[in-house]
Amino acid sequence: MATPYLNNVGKACHHVLTRRPAVLINSYPLGHGRCVACGMRMASTVTKNGRRKERVVILGSGWAGYGFARSLDPNKFERVMISPRSYFVFTPLLAGTAVGTLEFRAVLEPVRRLGLDRFHQGWADDIDFARKTIRVEANTSDDISSRTRLALKHRPDGTEKGATFDVEYDKLVIAVGSYSQTFGIEGVREHANFLRDIGDARKIRMKVLQNFEKAALPITTDEERKKLLHFAIVGGGPTGIEYAAELHDLIRDDLSKTYPCLTKFINITVYDVAPKVLPMFDKKLADYAMDRFKREGINVKMEHHLTRIRPDEECEGCLKLKITECGDEEVGAGIVVWSTGLMQNPIIQKLASKTFKLPSSDAEMQLQRDARTGGIVADENLRVNTIPGGVISKPLSDQGKQASPLQDVYGLGDCTVIPGLSLPATAQVASQQAAHLARRLNKGDVDRKPFKFKNWGTMTYLGNWTAIHQSSADELKGWMAWVLWRTAYLTRSMSIRNKLTVPFYWAISWIFGRDISRF
């Protein structure tokens, strides 16, 4: 029987009448919480020429989520993003904003400027894979604190929840990223400062300047000045090393001139449990970094184990650090910057621990999870894997024999693991995965070409216009590596606006000095 001709309006009406009905959130167990906008299907749209556009929902606005949304063809897909923050952070330059070398907005990209079909500021609270529905908890908080602190306040299994609503999808991209790892050490969550988001950088910047102002008061004793001006950085990876270098530049170039009487009390210390800092670099470059720090007066203490952080009752605003290697004596510090590793997003933990049934099968399934990292497992085409519920306790190699990809669900960035590929949890990996998946979806051949990571090298700033760079092709150190470091990150800045503002602020800081006002 021939299909009757339908004009554009007729086709749209036919789509509305024949699509599957909306599913009320109360009809399936996604938890509790006040619900608004229930039953909102809209999981696809119809273009003016009658062609259906699939709705692609992206969870996260980091390197993976933002990069994917930026590369996905809006003429072929309806792009919807869900993220608790309405911006993307260019993290390689975040340490510079924490000391005033750059202003905060120079490393931010508003996600709404991507021209998305919809953006919802909130957390993915749960996902019903059978009905292709996401429960979202709205984020209406004005809290600018760190991502790790937000994770403590918001947990998918918590009792205090905000308003929730449903968003349905045709394709789902999970790119929620990760949080800072605290290893359960007492006082870290409450008293340490993390450096993963713009709110972190702002808090650190204000705290450093506040400590100098307190130390400059005539009522402050010399013992209190030593504590206030001891800056402890826990973690010898690139983030910790770069912040130590940026902080030293700030003190040497600006604060030492403003507070000349306080320079003798200043102390910067990097603590790490490993026998070597910057483990991703070879020994020659890592030793060069340590030599640079030694000449600049930055202390690096390896194989030191921090076991507790608590407030100092004798010095307001100071902290006391309990370190195993220091015996019973506690170390005083004005601030602790924590950069030791990553832990999985709570939503990943929740999704990986639950079982569900798919419409095509009655078997209980669950997402495959990597035992070491806690991340969800994806195949070489970045499709999230599922396994039967009874094999989760088996080794990953045995699980792989029974694993199968979950239709229309993809995983990107820090929250995913690809068996057989030892990928670092870096922005470089996340951005390449995002670009690869977007290209494959735009071409409609996701299954044809697997993801392959191209390592373009690793760079770390060491202060005083020096850096180190390592790749499979070459190794650089000193001023030339610094030029490459700045050039590479400048060219990788997302928007033309930030490609202009970043060098502008670099020039302003070099000519006039960094802004040391507190506001």
Side-chain angles (χ1 to χ4, degrees), residues 1-12 14 48-50:
M1 179 177 179
T3 302
Y5 171 80
L6 293 176
N7 58 20
N8 292 340
V9 176
K11 289 180 179 179
H14 178 267
K48 292 182 178 180
N49 61 6

Side-chain angles (χ1 to χ4, degrees), residues 297-315:
I298 302 174
N299 299 313
V300 179
K301 297 189 177 182
M302 309 309 302
E303 299 181 289
H304 277 59
H305 299 77
L306 179 68
T307 58
R308 185 181 65 197
I309 302 175
R310 67 178 182 91
D312 189 338
E313 301 87 353
E314 301 175 355
C315 179

Side-chain angles (χ1 to χ4, degrees), residues 21-33:
V23 178
L24 294 178
I25 195 168
N26 292 330
S27 64
Y28 57 92
L30 280 180
H32 303 283

